[in-house]
Amino acid sequence: MTLESFVQANRYADVRSLALSMRRYPELDATFALQQIEGLQKAEHKLPELAAMQGWRWPERLSVEQASSEWTAKYKRDVLGTDISLLVDLTGGMGIDTYYMSERAAETHMVERSEALCQLAEHNFALTGKNVHVHHSEAERFMNEWTERLPHVPAKSRTVVYIDPARRDSHGSKVYRLQDCRPDVTQLLPLVRTHASTILIKVSPMLDVTEVVRTLRGVSEVHILAVKNEVKEVLLLLREGETTLDPTICCVNLLTNDEPFFFRKTEEETSPTTPTTPTTPSRSEE
């Protein structure tokens, strides 16, 4: 039995029970086969387009859980616009954001420190015809080797860099401060700014947006993304030449009929208000 036929035949099976019968399939790598079924089951609702593709390969459970959803990845794609010559994702992970954002760029590079994730991403991009160059490297190292790795770099004005720092420490515990995440955006940003005019950064919904804007400088837009009333991501869009400490804030509730809500912090502080009963959306991270 091939891996693909095994996965399709057991895509709704209980993985723990199935593990007990894997001796019946000596031709398969049992660990990898079970990983594919578990990943597919987790992706069914989070990444329906990709889950429907036969042959897509899934990483370990934690990587699938931490990946962006299809809807938040498409939102990033649309926020970036279309006039992109070069897109570099410095923290590729399993490549979901790279996959969708690459649709807006003439040339795309994905950087990932896990060799296993790089191998899966290369397989998946080839499967779907995505021309994405995958680099097994640390974000900091790639940026220091930028000119060697990208000798024919297009105009800086049409270069975009995306960063989604890992929000877990060496012990697997969650962290939120930018300085505690990997890579440390506060240290990496000056170098990134020398090569890209537009930078998109994903941060924890638990962060104080006002403090982050003050720390990073140059944030022109803040996008707060909820999926069905649950806050999933906060995105910071930095553009060259922007120096404001009062960026436009956009709150979006995806998969609903709600209209995006735009405001600035100063407008919120100075506008007259009518006492209402506030509705606080729940927060989680993808």
Side-chain angles (χ1 to χ4, degrees):
M1 177 177 285
T2 65
L3 174 64
E4 187 58 34
S5 60
F6 175 80
V7 170
Q8 292 304 317
N10 295 280
R11 63 182 297 160
Y12 301 113
D14 180 82
V15 175
R16 291 184 180 181
S17 299
L18 188 60
L20 300 176
S21 62
M22 287 307 295
R23 284 181 294 181
R24 295 163 47 192
Y25 308 98
E27 69 276 19
L28 298 177
D29 179 332
T31 300
F32 188 70
L34 294 172
Q35 176 180 302
Q36 297 314 296
I37 294 172
E38 187 174 38
L40 181 59
Q41 290 174 351
K42 289 188 173 295
E44 197 114 43
H45 299 292
K46 187 176 184 178
L47 299 161
E49 282 188 359
L50 304 183
M53 293 184 184
Q54 291 196 13
W56 187 277
R57 295 290 180 258
W58 304 98
E60 294 181 349
R61 179 179 62 186
L62 183 60
S63 294
V64 181
E65 291 175 346
Q66 292 179 335
S68 295
S69 68
E70 176 182 317
W71 306 283
T72 57
K74 287 180 176 179
Y75 185 90
K76 298 183 189 79
R77 173 196 66 188
D78 296 340
V79 161
L80 292 177
T82 57
D83 189 25
I84 303 173
S85 291
L86 175 66
L87 169 68
V88 178
D89 183 347
L90 287 177
T91 50
M94 64 175 288
I96 303 302
D97 285 322
T98 313
Y99 178 87
Y100 285 105
M101 290 190 299
S102 69
E103 296 173 359
R104 293 289 192 264
E107 180 179 343
T108 302
H109 292 257
M110 175 184 130
V111 181
E112 171 51 45
R113 57 194 174 100
S114 165
E115 185 175 8
L117 289 178
C118 286
Q119 292 173 350
L120 288 178
E122 287 181 324
H123 167 89
N124 292 332
F125 293 146
L127 176 73
T128 55
K130 296 284 186 183
N131 185 23
V132 176
H133 306 276
V134 179
H135 304 264
H136 175 216
S137 179
E138 297 279 352
E140 298 89 345
R141 179 180 176 185
F142 183 90
M143 289 306 308
N144 283 314
E145 299 174 350
W146 180 280
T147 54
E148 289 79 12
R149 290 179 180 268
L150 302 172
H152 306 294
V153 177
K156 175 184 175 182
S157 62
R158 298 177 62 199
T159 296
V160 175
V161 168
Y162 173 64
I163 313 173
D164 176 11
R167 286 173 287 282
R168 289 183 184 272
D169 61 20
S170 58
H171 304 290
S173 300
K174 286 188 176 182
V175 294
Y176 304 109
R177 295 193 324 138
L178 291 178
Q179 295 88 339
D180 297 329
C181 297
R182 184 175 181 182
D184 179 349
V185 173
T186 63
Q187 296 296 316
L188 188 61
L189 200 53
L191 181 56
V192 175
R193 280 179 160 141
T194 65
H195 296 290
S197 63
T198 302
I199 305 165
L200 186 64
I201 305 172
K202 176 180 169 181
V203 300
S204 168
M206 305 302 294
L207 279 182
D208 181 332
V209 171
T210 302
E211 181 60 30
V212 172
V213 168
R214 185 181 299 113
T215 299
L216 295 185
R217 302 273 178 174
V219 177
S220 58
E221 297 174 14
V222 177
H223 295 259
I224 301 173
L225 310 186
V227 178
K228 294 183 178 179
N229 299 314
E230 185 177 1
V231 176
K232 292 291 188 180
E233 298 184 8
V234 174
L235 306 174
L236 309 176
L237 186 63
L238 291 76
R239 291 196 177 96
E240 189 172 40
E242 294 281 350
T243 58
T244 181
L245 292 179
D246 187 28
T248 299
I249 299 176
C250 177
C251 300
V252 183
N253 197 5
L254 303 175
L255 301 186
T256 69
N257 294 322
D258 298 346
E259 291 292 326
F261 178 57
F262 296 87
F263 68 98
R264 291 178 183 270
K265 189 70 173 174
T266 52
E267 295 172 347
E268 180 188 45
E269 292 170 347
T270 58
S271 65
T273 59
T274 301
T276 59
T277 302
T279 300
T280 303
S282 59
R283 299 188 181 193
S284 70
E285 290 195 67
E286 292 178 331

